Amino acid sequence: MKRRGAGEREKDVKKQKLLDELGESRLPYLTPKDDGFHQLWKTKYSKLILRTAEKIPKEVHEEVQEAFLTLQKHDCFFQDLVRIKGKDFVTPVSRILIGNPGCTYKYLNTRLFTVPWPVEGYEINYSHPEISKACKALIKLNCYLHRESIQALQEQNLAETKGMEDSPVIDRHQDYATSITEMGSIPQDQSPSHVPENDHSHLKERTSYNLSLLNYMDPQQMPFLKQEPYFGMGKMAVSWHHDENLVEGSTVAVYSYSCEEPAADIIEEKAPSGRDPAVWHVGLKVAWDIKNPGLAVPLYPGDCYFMLDDLNMTHQHCVLAGLLPRFSSTHRVAECSQGTLPYILDQCNAALQNLCTDTHLSCPTLKSLDVDIKQVEETHNEVEFEWLRQFWFQGKRYRKCTDWWDKPMAALEEFWRKLELMTSLLLCEFRKEEQAEEQRNERIGCLLPILEERQELRQDWLARCHSQLVENLPKDEKPECHPYWQEGDASMPLPFNLEDIIAELRSLLEC
């Protein structure tokens, strides 16, 4: 649970090195009006696939765009208060996460919780029928993009196998007439229904999107957007990045919708070279590279693009702002081995196996001290700081859409209370003189670093909850304050001061 890992520091070093090498100069980048644009796309960015709006079924556009506007009408988009290098920032983009029930997605030290889209076997109560309809439209879009992604990967694999020169890149400035579903070079026996089962299963795993991060931004309400630093591409809605916490080698699919075509009377004067600042673009570059030009691909209302295979790992992308408001639905195969409700419930249940709460006992006890103290207490930290505090910190936003998370969070709070009790019981055991000193010190050595981290994180979260940025949030977006202890519960110990406990354990070790 380290907040500044080696990977983050390494990125800072690479970024600074790149900026130092550039100095005052800027790297070249190409747009569709530049010579060499198509060749560059084909040779350096061939795993970016664009599907233009006219190649997508009309009903998909109608349902998805209505869903965007519905969620906006019900105030379901929120700016996130994220943590970067130990500081809080409000994102310029407003977001909502929609996906499989019980899934979460973490980015910039912020865990978002899915508003569930309708899945068989789950009872989901939406706060309004229109929100239910919007979620249904988005899972239909998810299925559509899944099918298109599989086909795009199959065509790419076939092109690589045959050494074909043409790649399934779409370009309006070269007619934009060829769709990724109309390459015309795939034999009948290579169609999806004839792909070998093991290959098809692999493709399915890399495109089985379990959630979508929806984004909204109105550039006219964000006058202080950052300028793109390497190429001079203009204002960025989202800075250069790799998408985080995805299954390795999985595809990312994005449906983009800027609310209408830019009107002539509001288009800013265009620069003599470079991208059109009135139009939204996705920018791409080879990661940490200054040799290859960047790419700026315009996005018109209803366009989709796909970042296939390992493109998200080998390249970085950014979103370049246009003039008009824009929605997007970014479909991902999130790495959920430690990010689902079943996972954290299983962790809690395993940790609580050592707690004896039999009714015939006067008070709860620990079954044994011969357990993995480190694992139990790390679960304690995980449920508090990766789940409960993350959820509380985001206020009541999820209840605007559904009450689905209320019961799971109540269950996790109860688990957390029992884990607090287990820590307290463990401390009581350490105070008993009959314990062998060497064995006691070994156990204290396991517990102490975790308690120190817990104390530090609690202070950090407390400070975040009372920051000026939080004070400026709307009332229903402010962090919820939850008491550590429920009054009147005789089975629970009195609150204890972690700072005092840490000092006591240190003194025991010194003795």
Side-chain angles (χ1 to χ4, degrees), residues 4 35 91 153 181 196 294 403 405:
R4 284 283 289 156
D35 293 337
T91 59
L153 283 166
T181 59
D403 62 1
W405 281 99

Side-chain angles (χ1 to χ4, degrees), residues 322-340:
L323 288 182
L324 293 172
R326 173 184 177 262
F327 295 93
S328 67
S329 185
T330 63
H331 297 248
R332 305 151 189 254
V333 188
E335 206 294 300
C336 283
S337 62
Q338 297 183 359
T340 64

Side-chain angles (χ1 to χ4, degrees), residues 22-88:
L22 283 176
E24 297 298 318
S25 63
R26 289 290 178 266
L27 295 170
Y29 74 96
L30 301 182
T31 69
K33 63 185 179 183
D34 296 314
D35 293 337
F37 172 78
H38 312 292
Q39 183 64 23
L40 177 67
W41 191 339
K42 185 167 65 175
T43 55
K44 297 298 179 181
Y45 302 95
S46 63
K47 293 181 180 180
L48 173 72
I49 306 299
L50 180 67
R51 182 77 179 275
T52 57
E54 60 267 23
K55 301 299 180 182
I56 296 169
K58 182 180 178 182
E59 60 271 19
V60 171
H61 293 305
E62 291 174 348
E63 292 179 2
V64 173
Q65 292 168 19
E66 181 184 355
F68 287 151
L69 297 173
T70 293
L71 293 171
Q72 183 188 40
K73 182 180 79 171
H74 288 277
D75 298 322
C76 295
F77 287 92
F78 298 91
Q79 291 175 270
D80 293 320
L81 191 54
V82 298
R83 193 78 159 165
I84 305 174
K85 300 178 185 178
K87 295 182 180 179
D88 285 339

Side-chain angles (χ1 to χ4, degrees), residues 11-23 25 27 228-231 240 285-291 316:
K11 284 192 287 185
D12 291 343
V13 171
K14 287 181 176 179
K15 180 179 179 181
Q16 191 56 51
K17 182 181 178 182
L18 194 59
L19 290 171
D20 290 343
E21 288 183 30
L22 283 176
S25 63
L27 295 170
E228 192 283 313
Y230 305 120
F231 302 90
W240 291 106
K285 69 183 182 72
V286 179
W288 313 116
D289 170 80
I290 62 172
K291 297 178 181 178
Q316 292 171 298

Side-chain angles (χ1 to χ4, degrees), residues 228-253:
E228 192 283 313
Y230 305 120
F231 302 90
M233 291 179 173
K235 293 180 178 179
M236 297 186 298
V238 181
S239 301
W240 291 106
H241 67 288
H242 306 276
D243 285 338
E244 300 180 67
N245 295 319
L246 305 182
V247 169
E248 186 175 348
S250 61
T251 294
V252 177

Side-chain angles (χ1 to χ4, degrees), residues 60 178 184 276 279 285 305 338 341:
V60 171
T178 309
D276 182 347
V279 177
K285 69 183 182 72
Y305 62 91
Q338 297 183 359
L341 182 61

